[in-house]
Amino acid sequence: MGDMANNSVAYSGVKNAVKEANHGDFGVTLAELRSLMELRATDALHKIQECYGDVHGICTKLKTSPNEGLSGNPADIERREAVFGKNFIPPKKPKTFLQLVWEALQDVTLIILEIAAVVSLGLSFYQPPGGNESLCGSVNVGEEEEESEAGWIEGAAILLSVVCVVLVTAFNDWSKEKQFRGLQSRIEQEQKFTVIRGGQVIQIPVADIIVGDIAQVKYGDLLPADGVLIQGNDLKIDESSLTGESDHVKKSLDRDPMLLSGTHVMEGSGRMVVTAVGVNSQTGIIFTLLGAGGDEEEKEKEKKDKKSKKQDGAVENRNKAKAQDGAAMEMQPLKSEDGGDGDEKDKKRANLPKKEKSVLQGKLTKLAVQIGKAGLLMSAITVIILVLYFVIDTFWVQKRPWLAECTPIYIQYFVKFFIIGVTVLVVAVPEGLPLAVTISLAYSVKKMMKDNNLVRHLDACETMGNATAICSDKTGTLTMNRMTVVQAYINEKHYKKIPEPEAIPEKTMAYLVTGISVNCAYTSKILPPEKEGGLPRHVGNKTECALLGLLLDLKRDYQDVRNEIPEEDLYKVYTFNSVRKSMSTVLKNSDGSFRIFSKGASEIVLKKCFKILSANGEPKVFRPRDRDDIVKTVIEPMASEGLRTICLAFRDFPAGEPEPEWDNENDIVTGLTCIAVVGIEDPVRPEVPDAIKKCQRAGITVRMVTGDNINTARAIALKCGILNPGEDFLCLEGKDFNRRIRNEKGEIEQERIDKIWPKLRVLARSSPTDKHTLVKGIIDSTVFEQRQVVAVTGDGTNDGPALKKADVGFAMGIAGTDVAKEASDIILTDDNFTSIVKAVMWGRNVYDSISKFLQFQLTVNVVAVIVAFTGACITQDSPLKAVQMLWVNLIMDTLASLALATEPPTESLLLRKPYGRNKPLISRTMMKNILGHAFYQLVVVFTLLFAGEKIFDIDSGRNAPLHAPPSEHYTIVFNTFVMMQLFNEINARKIHGERNVFEGIFNNAIFCSIVLGTFVVQIIIVQFGGKPFSCSELSIEQWLWSIFLGMGTLLWGQLISTIPTSRLKFLKEAGHGTQKEEIPEEELAEDVEEIDHAERELRRGQILWFRGLNRIQTQMDVVNAFQSGSTIQGALRRQPSIASQHHDVTNISTPTHVVFSSTTASTTVGSEW
């Protein structure tokens, strides 16, 4: 506790203070701090000087030490939380189960079924007064009680099954919402921040930050709380998420010391005292304002949304999503979708491609609309035929008069016909589709966590399956990011291994030790290993840790130098950024002279060196010719071995001269004296070459985009297998790449990019802009028939735009900055390239799972609709009753989507090329399976329907009167139908014509349990369902026949597999994506148009199709909530910066989000009704 001495004053009276927790304990109140944080720049400075003297005055009043931080005493922390609040914004309440039940009940088809059931129920209790009932047609009179008993059961059973469907739907939604909230909070809990407590630098979860904490801020951080700067080096902040201004704001003690939560650190580093957290921070205040208006505000927004969907759709969508999923936001404010820059174009881009790029959703919407229309048509025809047949038969053929007392009975007939029609529609509309997508994605996301992929946007998981190109960083992704200095050029001598300390002159050693110690960020350090015998732990920047490690190898301690020159004594720091590719620190000596130490990419720093330390440690002249010699004899050989080369240099400014103009960096960091050039090794991860081979086999091109020297990059690319000897591929440097893709005016031309990218494998010394240009160029290219789907990895703040532009952005979980994570779709928690390969596998698996489900569902759809339709037309009654249809619907929608959407992926998925954006969902092989199995099932069902009574020697169930008891005949038809579906579910596990449909079946416990569970429930329904399910008990022999005919589908499946698909030219594919996506100039606009087209289709009066739409809304609410990062992005960006639109803003238009945007879809429905 000795190091707490200077803090004792600040903590005098802490004990008494705990007893009386009021604002008086601190010299400043919560309200005062809140009002202070609302001021900016000079206003804030005046206020601080006026009320507190300076920032140290604030620290004193908050009883904290600027250097030592808080003590970390639990009682003190508790008291501060009580007075100033916790760093936590309370989430919006999730929807309750009852609310979800109510939402499920809004389903139009279900409402129609309920009304029909209630009418049927009411009429069944109505007894016509006297009269001869035989005049009213073929009603089964029987005994009075039996009739009334029989009448109400069907209506009640329909109501009961509606309740079941509603409960299952609500439970699905509830569990998904719960799952996504869990996932969201996992993302948030992972965010930690560096603070100083008790003189120790520690990382704590963002939620644990309290007022009075001294927080260390650095390049790439997302600020978790409001604070005032205590000390800063070259600090620049992007405040666009709060102000809409995209220009970076310089922060310094004498200009603008106010740091606000939710803003991004784009450059530099520093320390701040936390002055407001949680709901009292600037982000929290805005969040509270948004939340306070609650529902009214949302309604207003919906009205606006109707009027100006084009402008406001995205914001509205994100707010809605936020309301859906306000999972405990551990103060991860403003998850800016725009990543690094809050430009208007980025906002639009952040929303539009997210909608445009989920290939699967687009295809499914189209397919679902088509199926829904077909189902609606069939059900309408069914009802019309039934009604006409009955009317003609009763009043024309039998010439019966319409008697008043018979009206209820006729109405009962019409209600029965109506129920049959609705049931045909229920079976035809594939509401299971969105459910299957969501279950499949949710399941994949959960499992991908185990494979070190933290998915932030659900659709990224599926898009990854279509990836054709991966642009990967080198450091940390392909390599281990365990840097060590292995070679050095010191005092004109090239050491192939680290020299002994005695070999280096004392003077050179002094420069080396001081230069490395002070000119590496003080947050970079080497800690002892966690386990005995382990490697020392590198904390902070890995390259800097390698240099600090060099000092330890030379038996010197960098910490002694840092203790002597603490960070606040550094006169000026030019922090590292991707433009400078170097870092420099200025020290002021006691005699008034200055010394600057610089380190950075060797060829860049060497160009600024005019002297070099000779063999005896004295500076000597360093000419351009000497520089070329060093490049040839030292730097290139090091780089060709895959080493990263760093040059260390210094410069002195004598005391007598006037003080230099420090802001003019180019004049300061020049005329340097070279101390040494070191070669740093970063070994390739052992598993990467194999992973890259898998990618190449799967039709995915891997490109390396790195800031390193081209020779180093080429050497690493060869080791990884990105380049193979003898292949004709390009390796370019950033400047060479820029020269080739720009015309005389310096503008980027797509045709020029198209000449380069297909062969480009390595882009070295690249800037983040080059990365963005390359990604955009590949995505917009029309060289190949298929549009490329590009995945990108990034860790730096400036990778934000490229991550955003890519179809799937991967951020590094360990080395990645918060800004990169914000811009990404998936976070790699282990920074490892092999995890990307796993993501590809899962993505392809999602696509295949949906196809399996479609193959199964469409077979059932076709058969059930044809059976109901034909049966109704020929026998005036559907062979499958309403309740049975609802049960079949439950099997094939909810349960099948669970069973087929949870198949685990296999390595074989990586043996085929990507499907591409335009591959139809239903291939010709699948169409062959669907039609083939439908044919078998229809033959079986119709044989049983029209000849079953003869085969089994039982009474016919055809032409039964209105309230006839269930017949064995129709029960056998129903039972056989369900058995065929169960066995066909096993067939549906394979969609590429494989013969062994049982392969790996026991790896999927969910599948096995659902098939067995359905079988058991079917036995119960048939044997004990009785009148409600229109079932009659079956004998063992009849059961065995049903199972035998069901198993026939497996044998029939083998027969279908033998027919080569290539022979069946007449088969059409279905479920194509948008056709016009190939034209990049129009691509985004076309996609919006396509969505509008879908909206128009939905508006053409197919009201019953809204059953599917409503399901889609409920499923996609959750998806949207997850996609948008579920925090308060949208609402805070009301004032976008127009000044800073650049790059590809020209062809962006904001989407209308029709089919899959929950909010807009519901407003559409509202306006139509």
Side-chain angles (χ1 to χ4, degrees):
M1 288 300 286
D3 51 346
M4 288 302 295
N6 2 342
N7 230 3
S8 55
V9 182
Y11 284 99
S12 57
V14 164
K15 285 177 188 165
N16 311 331
V18 178
K19 292 174 195 163
E20 41 182 313
N22 61 38
H23 298 315
D25 297 340
F26 297 100
V28 59
T29 65
L30 179 61
E32 286 168 9
L33 287 175
R34 260 181 82 151
S35 62
L36 170 66
M37 292 318 295
E38 278 163 13
L39 301 172
R40 302 280 177 274
T42 46
D43 300 344
L45 275 174
H46 292 153
K47 175 88 170 173
I48 292 173
Q49 284 159 5
E50 193 183 306
C51 301
Y52 311 101
D54 61 5
V55 68
H56 291 275
I58 298 178
C59 292
T60 311
K61 287 188 187 263
L62 286 173
K63 302 189 178 169
T64 183
S65 152
N67 297 326
E68 303 285 331
L70 297 175
S71 65
N73 172 358
D76 179 45
I77 291 174
E78 211 173 292
R79 185 171 62 111
R80 287 173 188 272
E81 284 181 349
V83 174
F84 298 111
K86 290 187 174 186
N87 198 19
F88 170 80
I89 296 177
K92 277 204 174 183
K93 286 198 181 93
K95 286 189 177 167
T96 61
F97 187 68
L98 285 175
Q99 280 172 309
L100 292 169
V101 166
W102 178 246
E103 273 183 17
L105 276 169
Q106 309 302 308
D107 191 319
V108 184
T109 322
L110 285 183
I111 292 172
I112 294 170
L113 265 181
E114 286 156 26
I115 295 168
V118 170
V119 172
S120 161
L121 208 57
L123 288 171
S124 68
F125 291 118
Y126 176 82
Q127 294 297 321
N132 185 358
E133 278 161 350
S134 60
L135 294 174
C136 302
S138 55
V139 177
N140 187 41
V141 182
E143 298 165 21
E144 285 296 310
E145 298 146 34
E146 194 180 315
E147 186 187 329
S148 59
E149 180 196 338
W152 70 266
I153 284 179
E154 188 174 31
I158 291 176
L159 284 179
L160 189 69
S161 39
V162 165
V163 168
C164 280
V165 171
V166 165
L167 288 176
V168 168
T169 311
F171 179 74
N172 269 327
D173 290 348
W174 178 79
S175 56
K176 280 200 303 291
E177 197 161 308
K178 187 166 163 250
Q179 198 174 357
F180 290 134
R181 279 170 176 270
L183 201 57
Q184 191 59 32
S185 59
R186 158 86 194 262
I187 290 175
E188 276 139 12
Q189 281 156 12
E190 296 222 328
Q191 201 197 357
K192 290 194 157 66
F193 209 77
T194 311
V195 298
I196 302 171
R197 284 196 181 166
Q200 297 295 313
V201 177
I202 56 167
Q203 284 210 324
I204 59 171
V206 160
D208 294 349
I209 292 175
I210 48 176
V211 171
D213 257 326
I214 305 299
Q216 284 196 346
V217 298
K218 62 180 187 309
Y219 161 81
D221 281 344
L222 174 73
L223 297 183
D226 293 354
V228 180
L229 192 65
I230 299 174
Q231 176 263 327
N233 304 319
D234 205 12
L235 198 59
K236 285 183 190 161
I237 307 282
D238 172 13
E239 293 187 348
S240 59
S241 51
L242 278 184
T243 61
E245 286 308 317
S246 62
D247 293 339
H248 299 166
V249 183
K250 273 193 172 181
K251 297 287 179 180
S252 61
L253 290 171
D254 51 354
R255 256 198 240 160
D256 181 1
M258 312 309 277
L259 300 176
L260 307 172
S261 57
T263 58
H264 292 110
V265 182
M266 300 308 282
E267 241 181 76
S269 61
R271 282 205 317 273
M272 71 169 186
V273 56
V274 175
T275 52
V277 293
V279 288
N280 300 308
S281 66
Q282 289 305 295
T283 303
I285 291 167
I286 296 172
F287 193 91
T288 322
L289 288 175
L290 286 177
D295 299 336
E296 297 83 11
E297 200 171 287
E298 239 165 62
K299 278 177 201 157
E300 263 180 51
K301 273 181 218 146
E302 275 182 30
K303 279 180 205 157
K304 271 186 223 161
D305 196 39
K306 261 185 254 179
K307 290 176 200 161
S308 59
K309 228 175 265 172
K310 285 256 193 285
Q311 297 146 26
D312 212 29
V315 172
E316 165 61 15
N317 194 27
R318 289 188 289 185
N319 289 338
K320 178 83 174 180
K322 190 181 70 212
Q324 277 284 325
D325 194 8
M329 284 161 236
E330 279 355 300
M331 223 2 236
Q332 203 163 354
L334 282 157
K335 269 201 167 170
S336 134
E337 278 192 6
D338 317 352
D341 43 341
D343 303 345
E344 187 179 22
K345 75 118 204 304
D346 251 344
K347 262 166 257 171
K348 288 180 176 175
R349 177 148 42 82
N351 289 297
L352 186 98
K354 283 280 176 268
K355 280 290 148 215
E356 172 261 335
K357 77 181 170 192
S358 182
V359 188
L360 193 60
Q361 282 176 15
K363 290 179 184 176
L364 281 176
T365 311
K366 230 172 161 189
L367 192 67
V369 170
Q370 288 163 356
I371 296 172
K373 285 163 73 175
L376 190 69
L377 190 71
M378 292 291 279
S379 64
I381 294 172
T382 309
V383 174
I384 292 165
I385 288 178
L386 282 170
V387 171
L388 284 175
Y389 192 100
F390 174 76
V391 170
I392 292 168
D393 184 56
T394 309
F395 302 117
W396 191 270
V397 179
Q398 297 180 30
K399 298 196 166 43
R400 293 176 189 277
W402 181 295
L403 300 172
E405 63 265 27
C406 290
T407 305
I409 289 175
Y410 295 146
I411 291 176
Q412 246 175 307
Y413 265 110
F414 291 143
V415 168
K416 176 183 162 186
F417 298 151
F418 188 62
I419 288 176
I420 291 168
V422 174
T423 331
V424 170
L425 180 71
V426 169
V427 176
V429 171
E431 343 77 306
L433 272 185
L435 185 64
V437 177
T438 318
I439 289 177
S440 180
L441 289 174
Y443 169 77
S444 304
V445 164
K446 207 171 176 185
K447 294 287 185 189
M448 282 169 81
M449 297 277 275
K450 291 184 181 148
D451 286 338
N452 304 307
N453 282 288
L454 184 64
V455 181
R456 293 181 70 243
H457 295 134
L458 261 185
D459 61 351
C461 165
E462 164 254 315
T463 310
M464 204 50 219
N466 281 316
T468 54
I470 299 173
C471 295
S472 172
D473 274 356
K474 176 179 77 70
T475 309
T477 314
L478 301 173
T479 60
M480 289 169 76
N481 207 7
R482 174 93 205 169
M483 308 267 198
T484 39
V485 175
V486 290
Q487 294 189 24
Y489 178 81
I490 305 176
N491 300 118
E492 300 185 296
K493 187 167 181 199
H494 186 171
Y495 295 94
K496 291 287 180 149
K497 57 181 208 283
I498 302 304
E500 292 299 316
E502 299 76 45
I504 299 171
E506 203 45 56
K507 228 176 189 176
T508 307
M509 186 67 96
Y511 287 131
L512 210 53
V513 174
T514 314
I516 291 175
S517 303
V518 299
N519 194 31
C520 285
Y522 278 44
T523 47
S524 300
K525 46 171 107 56
I526 296 180
L527 301 176
E530 279 175 339
K531 293 188 185 120
E532 236 178 287
L535 293 167
R537 280 181 299 146
H538 287 185
V539 178
N541 182 298
K542 299 294 188 283
T543 309
E544 294 184 335
C545 288
L547 294 172
L548 297 173
L550 170 67
L551 293 187
L552 298 178
D553 291 343
L554 294 171
K555 314 281 189 291
R556 297 291 187 274
D557 189 2
Y558 63 88
Q559 199 54 53
D560 293 346
V561 180
R562 288 183 173 183
N563 293 343
E564 202 179 305
I565 311 170
E567 195 171 6
E568 51 272 20
D569 288 1
L570 303 179
Y571 193 76
K572 168 86 181 159
V573 178
Y574 302 97
T575 51
F576 179 87
N577 68 27
S578 53
V579 179
R580 286 191 186 116
K581 292 209 186 312
S582 68
M583 172 181 176
S584 309
T585 302
V586 181
L587 298 178
K588 186 172 186 179
N589 300 325
S590 49
D591 61 356
S593 63
F594 296 94
R595 173 171 288 171
I596 181 169
F597 286 103
S598 195
K599 71 167 194 303
S602 53
E603 56 266 55
I604 291 171
V605 177
L606 270 182
K607 278 181 188 156
K608 298 174 181 174
C609 290
F610 293 178
K611 292 181 179 175
I612 188 166
L613 293 182
S614 61
N616 58 5
E618 293 299 330
K620 69 168 205 179
V621 177
F622 184 57
R623 297 185 187 85
R625 192 178 62 241
D626 304 329
R627 184 186 328 129
D628 295 343
D629 285 349
I630 287 187
V631 168
K632 281 199 183 68
T633 59
V634 179
I635 293 173
E636 284 181 3
M638 280 187 187
S640 62
E641 290 175 42
L643 304 185
R644 169 181 284 190
T645 55
I646 300 284
C647 176
L648 305 165
F650 75 98
R651 176 185 177 184
D652 284 325
F653 294 93
E657 295 177 7
E659 189 171 332
E661 182 60 52
W662 297 114
D663 284 343
N664 194 347
E665 189 188 334
N666 291 339
D667 292 349
I668 304 293
V669 187
T670 185
L672 303 173
T673 304
C674 173
I675 306 169
V677 174
V678 295
I680 297 176
E681 183 181 48
D682 184 10
V684 171
R685 288 179 183 265
E687 65 275 21
V688 161
D690 190 40
I692 285 176
K693 255 199 206 83
K694 279 183 190 165
C695 281
Q696 289 163 344
R697 206 169 45 226
I700 302 168
T701 308
V702 182
R703 293 181 175 81
M704 181 201 288
V705 182
T706 176
D708 244 345
N709 164 321
I710 190 158
N711 295 319
T712 310
R714 192 184 286 119
I716 299 285
L718 281 163
K719 286 181 188 172
C720 293
I722 291 174
L723 292 173
N724 292 313
E727 286 181 336
D728 176 27
F729 286 130
L730 282 176
C731 295
L732 291 179
E733 278 195 337
K735 60 174 190 290
D736 195 18
F737 171 70
N738 269 301
R739 199 187 71 246
R740 291 194 188 197
I741 61 169
R742 291 174 193 275
N743 59 20
E744 300 72 39
K745 295 177 188 163
E747 295 160 345
I748 295 170
E749 285 187 356
Q750 184 63 43
E751 304 78 65
R752 288 170 181 253
I753 296 181
D754 287 346
K755 285 178 189 163
I756 293 174
W757 76 258
K759 285 197 166 187
L760 183 69
R761 288 296 177 273
V762 175
L763 185 58
R765 280 281 177 254
S766 68
S767 69
T769 323
D770 297 339
K771 195 175 194 174
H772 180 268
T773 308
L774 176 66
V775 171
K776 183 180 181 302
I778 296 177
I779 287 176
D780 291 350
S781 173
T782 50
V783 175
F784 295 116
E785 191 186 334
Q786 291 283 2
R787 125 118 154 84
Q788 296 282 302
V789 178
V790 184
V792 167
T793 69
D795 52 8
T797 301
N798 292 320
D799 288 331
L803 289 170
K804 207 69 197 140
K805 179 69 196 168
D807 292 287
V808 182
F810 286 90
M812 302 298 141
I814 302 167
T817 60
D818 293 337
V819 180
K821 290 177 189 172
E822 292 307 307
S824 69
D825 299 291
I826 298 178
I827 296 172
L828 295 179
T829 50
D830 63 346
D831 290 13
N832 193 338
F833 186 82
T834 47
S835 303
I836 300 176
V837 181
K838 296 257 178 63
V840 172
M841 214 154 83
W842 277 107
R844 292 185 173 190
N845 191 52
V846 167
Y847 209 92
D848 280 8
S849 296
I850 304 303
S851 294
K852 288 172 191 174
F853 173 70
L854 269 173
Q855 180 173 305
F856 172 71
Q857 168 149 41
L858 292 181
T859 310
V860 191
N861 274 11
V862 170
V863 176
V865 170
I866 292 177
V867 166
F869 175 72
T870 321
C873 296
I874 297 173
T875 69
Q876 298 101 66
D877 186 7
S878 170
L880 298 172
K881 301 290 180 287
V883 180
Q884 296 173 350
M885 286 278 216
L886 284 169
W887 163 235
V888 169
N889 204 34
L890 191 72
I891 303 177
M892 69 181 200
D893 273 356
T894 311
L895 299 175
S897 61
L898 244 177
L900 292 167
T902 51
E903 288 270 319
T906 57
E907 286 279 330
S908 61
L909 288 166
L910 293 175
L911 298 176
R912 61 168 173 78
K913 299 282 180 271
Y915 279 148
R917 298 179 76 87
N918 282 347
K919 177 175 185 307
L921 272 172
I922 302 167
S923 63
R924 283 171 58 187
T925 308
M926 285 167 65
M927 193 59 94
K928 176 183 78 176
N929 291 343
I930 291 168
L931 296 177
H933 283 295
F935 174 74
Y936 171 82
Q937 293 185 15
L938 285 170
V939 168
V940 170
V941 169
F942 284 134
T943 306
L944 289 176
L945 189 59
F946 296 111
E949 71 273 25
K950 297 189 185 77
I951 298 169
F952 290 104
D953 193 21
I954 46 176
D955 295 335
S956 168
R958 289 193 305 282
N959 302 322
L962 191 61
H963 291 309
S967 64
E968 275 186 5
H969 181 197
Y970 273 19
T971 308
I972 290 174
V973 173
F974 166 59
N975 198 31
T976 307
F977 180 70
V978 171
M979 288 301 122
M980 289 194 293
Q981 304 323 323
L982 268 185
F983 286 104
N984 195 30
E985 202 164 328
I986 298 171
N987 272 331
R989 291 183 66 248
K990 302 293 175 197
I991 51 171
H992 299 299
E994 298 95 328
R995 284 199 172 277
N996 183 2
V997 289
F998 291 99
E999 188 191 347
I1001 194 165
F1002 296 114
N1003 295 344
N1004 188 356
I1006 300 178
F1007 183 88
C1008 298
S1009 49
I1010 282 177
V1011 170
L1012 281 172
T1014 312
F1015 185 64
V1016 170
V1017 175
Q1018 179 66 15
I1019 293 174
I1020 295 168
I1021 287 175
V1022 170
Q1023 297 305 96
F1024 309 106
K1027 184 73 186 169
F1029 280 96
S1030 308
C1031 286
S1032 166
E1033 283 183 47
L1034 297 182
S1035 65
I1036 290 285
E1037 189 191 349
Q1038 289 164 340
W1039 261 104
L1040 288 173
W1041 272 107
S1042 296
I1043 293 172
F1044 171 71
L1045 289 168
M1047 287 179 77
T1049 56
L1050 292 173
L1051 300 170
W1052 184 254
Q1054 294 300 314
L1055 190 67
I1056 293 174
S1057 306
T1058 21
I1059 304 168
T1061 314
S1062 51
R1063 291 279 172 87
L1064 308 172
K1065 299 282 185 218
F1066 61 88
L1067 285 180
K1068 291 276 183 287
E1069 300 162 321
H1072 286 266
T1074 317
Q1075 294 304 306
K1076 294 175 185 168
E1077 270 189 9
E1078 311 302 87
I1079 309 158
E1081 288 77 24
E1082 298 165 22
E1083 185 178 288
L1084 304 177
E1086 281 298 347
D1087 210 80
V1088 172
E1089 186 49 46
E1090 204 269 324
I1091 294 176
D1092 281 339
H1093 172 62
E1095 180 179 27
R1096 281 201 297 277
E1097 282 201 284
L1098 289 172
R1099 286 183 169 191
R1100 274 190 205 138
Q1102 290 96 338
I1103 288 161
L1104 293 175
W1105 159 235
F1106 286 144
R1107 162 164 212 209
L1109 181 62
N1110 276 335
R1111 288 278 174 93
I1112 288 171
Q1113 288 167 26
T1114 339
Q1115 310 303 334
M1116 286 308 162
D1117 269 355
V1118 188
V1119 177
N1120 282 332
F1122 196 70
Q1123 283 173 343
S1124 63
S1126 71
T1127 42
I1128 58 175
Q1129 306 106 328
L1132 299 178
R1133 296 208 182 69
R1134 294 287 158 74
Q1135 334 84 314
S1137 152
I1138 291 155
S1140 52
Q1141 303 175 17
H1142 55 282
H1143 294 316
D1144 48 348
V1145 67
T1146 45
N1147 56 5
I1148 305 279
S1149 61
T1150 316
T1152 46
H1153 291 308
V1154 178
V1155 179
F1156 278 100
S1157 152
S1158 49
T1159 334
T1160 41
S1162 48
T1163 48
T1164 310
V1165 177
S1167 59
E1168 289 301 298
W1169 281 83

